[in-house]
């Protein structure tokens, strides 16, 4: 066996856009597999065929294909002619010496002009396998399902399906900028936007040299991990410590978290616009911490005219944690660091900072100059996968 058959599902619904979605999915698969031993990747009659140089490459290719968005499922497959004797003997050879308690054959025709119906094909091939092996046929609870796909000039067969990453192909959803903190939530928020086809720019605010470099190192690691999904990423590291010291001098303690966040929004907006991103993304969740009450979230959002997307807003912490664990970011996120927002903030910030108070406090600060200085001091790092 040296083929992989890739099925997309949600894509099938996209009407006139469908050829474009499939084209991007093929392009993304090519990029994800660029350094592996793959002969060809092409779209054929509603599925994508990947040809491997040899059957030994399957595991490496599988691990990559699992991360490509827009795939419902995929299978390691063999290829044979339409001749039922040849097809059955190819299947028997690849099954080796397994002894399933029962089996069945499931056939699909990509081309409905094929002279036999799917049940007829199933009976022809199933009968030959039963004759050779003596296995029991079970149409409902079979231990082994042999899948057949009748293509116009050959047949694919496979014995299992790997779940794909779902979502939509990277590049179909436009650009967004995610405020990535190094905590548990924002990497999951970034992933969820990537899975909907968005290209995500990562923006991180750090307080080096007032605090250590730890948060930057964590965020780099998270960016590298997330890049295994979107293949190319840009991380912008924004110096925030000096701004925080300015805020410290001018803003009452209980308002500082909201003022910090509003500054972050303004800076992120500038960076996002220069990258032609259409929205900001955060890992905010209603009620999780003081800065995430509905009142404070609206005050924070008011600092920017860009759309703010909060993919986790209605999730519980344990649901987010579970996703972070599956994604692999959890282990990085829990490495202790000094979060810039704990700097100069009280243990109990205001949960309902009043708009007039915020505006009065900000009135004492050279906001535009602070934003420009942060943008000018930002460092950009590029990530690529496979590197
Ligand atoms: P996270 O786990 O993502 O850090 P959190 O529960 O700690 O979230 P907050 O610290 O209140 O929540 O941050 C809310 C959101 O603000 C984060 O999800 C992130 O999008 C953004 N954010 C906070 N701190 C930073 C930072 N230092 N750099 C970039 N974005 C940040
Ligand atoms: Mg945080």
């Amino acid at each position: 066996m040296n083929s992989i058959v890739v099925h997309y599902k949600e894509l099938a619904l996209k009407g006139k856009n469908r050829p474009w979605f499939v084209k991007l999915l093929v392009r993304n698969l090519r990029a994800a597999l660029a350094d592996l031993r793959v002969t060809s990747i092409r779209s054929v009659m509603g599925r994508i065929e990947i040809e491997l140089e040899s059957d030994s490459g399957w595991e490496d290719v599988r691990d990559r294909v699992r991360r490509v968005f827009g795939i419902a499922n995929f299978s390691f497959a063999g290829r044979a002619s339409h001749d039922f004797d040849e097809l059955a003997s190819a299947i028997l050879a690849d099954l080796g010496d397994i002894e399933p308690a029962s089996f069945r054959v499931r056939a699909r025709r990509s081309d409905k002009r094929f002279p036999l119906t799917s049940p007829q094909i199933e009976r022809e091939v199933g009968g030959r396998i039963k004759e050779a092996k003596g296995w029991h046929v079970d149409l409902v609870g079979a231990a082994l399902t042999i899948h057949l796909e009748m293509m116009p000039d050959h047949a694919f067969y496979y014995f299992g399906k790997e779940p794909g990453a779902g979502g939509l192909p990277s590049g179909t959803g436009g650009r967004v900028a995610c405020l990535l903190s190094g905590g548990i939530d924002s990497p999951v928020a970034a992933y969820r936007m990537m899975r909907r086809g968005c290209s995500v720019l990562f923006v991180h605010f750090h307080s080096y040299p007032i605090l250590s470099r730890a948060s930057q190192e964590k965020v780099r690691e998270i960016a590298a991990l997330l890049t295994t999904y979107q293949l190319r990423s840009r991380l912008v590291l924004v110096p925030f410590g000096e701004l925080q010291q300015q805020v410290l001098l001018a803003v009452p303690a209980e308002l500082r978290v909201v003022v910090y966040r509003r500054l972050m929004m303004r800076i992120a907006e500038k960076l996002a616009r220069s990258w032609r991103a259409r929205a900001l993304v955060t890992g905010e969740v209603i009620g999780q911490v003081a800065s995430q009450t509905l009142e404070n979230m609206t005050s924070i959002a008011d600092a920017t005219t860009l759309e703010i997307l909060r993919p986790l807003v209605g999730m519980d912490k344990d649901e987010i944690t579970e996703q972070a664990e599956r994604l692999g970011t959890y282990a990085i996120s829990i490495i202790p660091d000094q979060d810039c927002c704990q700097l100069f903030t009280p243990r109990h910030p205001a949960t309902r900072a009043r708009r007039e108070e915020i505006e009065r406090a900000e009135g004492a600060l050279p906001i535009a100059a602070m934003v420009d200085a942060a943008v000018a001091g930002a460092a950009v790092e590029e990530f690529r996968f496979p590197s």
Side-chain angles (χ1 to χ4, degrees):
M1 306 213 282
N2 64 349
S3 299
I4 295 172
V5 181
V6 176
H7 291 117
Y8 36 85
K9 190 167 61 187
E10 188 167 5
L11 292 187
L13 307 172
K14 296 286 171 189
K16 282 196 313 241
N17 283 332
R18 186 173 148 175
W20 178 63
F21 279 74
V22 174
K23 203 172 122 191
L24 285 179
L25 179 53
V26 169
R27 182 199 70 181
N28 295 345
L29 279 165
R30 288 205 174 110
L33 302 176
D35 59 334
L36 300 182
R37 289 149 62 87
V38 168
T39 321
S40 72
I41 301 174
R42 55 182 184 270
S43 134
V44 188
M45 315 215 43
R47 62 265 287 144
I48 294 169
E49 295 179 17
I50 302 174
E51 286 304 323
L52 309 180
E53 272 177 34
S54 73
D55 57 4
S56 62
W58 157 242
E59 267 104 18
D60 291 339
V61 174
R62 178 191 60 198
D63 293 346
R64 297 279 177 86
V65 175
R66 269 186 188 146
R67 295 169 183 271
V68 175
F69 297 118
I71 294 174
N73 60 68
F74 61 102
S75 301
F76 188 34
R79 184 196 262 270
S81 77
H82 286 160
D83 178 87
F84 292 130
D85 289 328
E86 255 183 62
L87 181 52
S89 51
I91 292 171
L92 286 165
D94 281 326
L95 280 172
D97 48 14
I98 59 164
E99 283 301 332
S102 58
F103 85 108
R104 67 171 178 174
V105 176
R106 288 293 301 259
R108 278 164 71 175
R109 298 170 307 162
S110 71
D111 184 349
K112 302 298 178 213
R113 285 170 303 182
F114 196 79
L116 299 186
T117 64
S118 296
Q120 287 171 323
I121 299 166
E122 289 166 2
R123 273 197 296 277
E124 289 291 337
V125 177
R128 284 167 171 79
I129 288 168
K130 186 171 168 57
E131 201 175 288
K133 292 290 197 179
W135 293 339
H136 170 63
V137 176
D138 182 347
L139 298 181
V140 186
L144 167 70
T145 300
I146 299 170
H147 298 270
L148 299 179
E149 289 188 18
M150 307 309 277
M151 304 298 290
D153 43 35
H154 66 89
F156 280 124
Y157 56 90
Y158 50 87
F159 313 128
K161 290 184 184 182
E162 295 277 334
L168 297 170
S170 295
T172 59
R175 291 178 174 192
V176 298
C178 181
L179 286 78
L180 195 62
S181 68
I184 295 167
D185 305 326
S186 42
V188 177
Y191 171 79
R192 292 184 75 113
M193 297 311 300
M194 282 166 28
R195 188 163 180 263
R196 294 311 297 168
C198 291
S199 304
V200 182
L201 169 75
F202 306 128
V203 180
H204 175 66
F205 298 91
H206 66 83
S207 305
Y208 181 80
I210 303 170
L211 299 178
S212 76
R213 285 186 196 274
S215 80
Q216 293 180 67
E217 268 140 35
K218 278 172 66 175
V219 162
R220 273 192 197 107
E221 245 185 277
I222 289 168
L225 198 152
L226 292 173
T227 305
T228 64
Y229 294 90
Q230 71 173 357
L231 307 180
R232 273 161 172 253
S233 306
R234 176 172 292 181
L235 167 66
V236 188
L237 298 162
V238 184
F240 202 59
E242 253 175 61
L243 275 68
Q244 287 178 291
Q245 285 176 317
Q246 287 172 269
V247 171
L248 173 69
L249 297 176
V251 177
E254 69 280 4
L255 292 181
R256 279 177 208 152
V257 172
V258 172
V259 171
Y260 288 161
R261 288 282 193 275
R262 285 168 56 87
L263 277 167
M264 285 185 183
M265 290 298 162
R266 294 184 182 101
I267 296 163
E269 170 174 343
K270 274 218 155 165
L271 295 166
R273 288 195 190 281
S274 71
W275 199 60
R276 287 177 285 120
R278 290 174 191 283
L280 301 179
V281 177
T282 73
E284 289 168 304
V285 179
I286 285 276
Q288 206 189 65
V289 289
S291 58
Q292 297 178 25
T293 60
L294 203 47
E295 289 86 349
N296 282 348
M297 274 165 61
T298 358
S299 305
I300 292 165
D302 277 347
T304 172
T305 54
L306 272 184
E307 183 74 25
I308 299 185
L309 303 174
R310 303 179 184 90
L312 313 185
V313 74
M315 290 175 75
D316 287 351
K317 192 74 188 185
D318 49 357
E319 295 171 309
I320 300 170
T321 301
E322 194 216 317
Q323 289 216 354
E325 277 171 342
R326 248 187 295 140
L327 194 55
T329 52
Y330 182 76
I332 310 169
S333 294
I334 58 170
I335 297 170
D337 67 353
Q338 298 163 301
D339 185 89
C340 72
C341 289
Q342 287 147 18
L343 198 60
F344 318 127
T345 58
R347 212 177 269 281
H348 300 291
T351 51
R352 293 175 184 192
R354 300 241 321 263
R355 196 62 53 93
E356 312 83 76
E357 292 177 70
I358 297 168
E359 276 161 15
R360 195 171 332 118
E362 286 182 352
L365 289 166
I367 296 285
M370 290 164 81
V371 170
D372 288 345
V375 170
V380 176
E381 296 183 7
E382 307 283 348
F383 293 77
R384 286 196 84 148
F385 182 82
S387 51

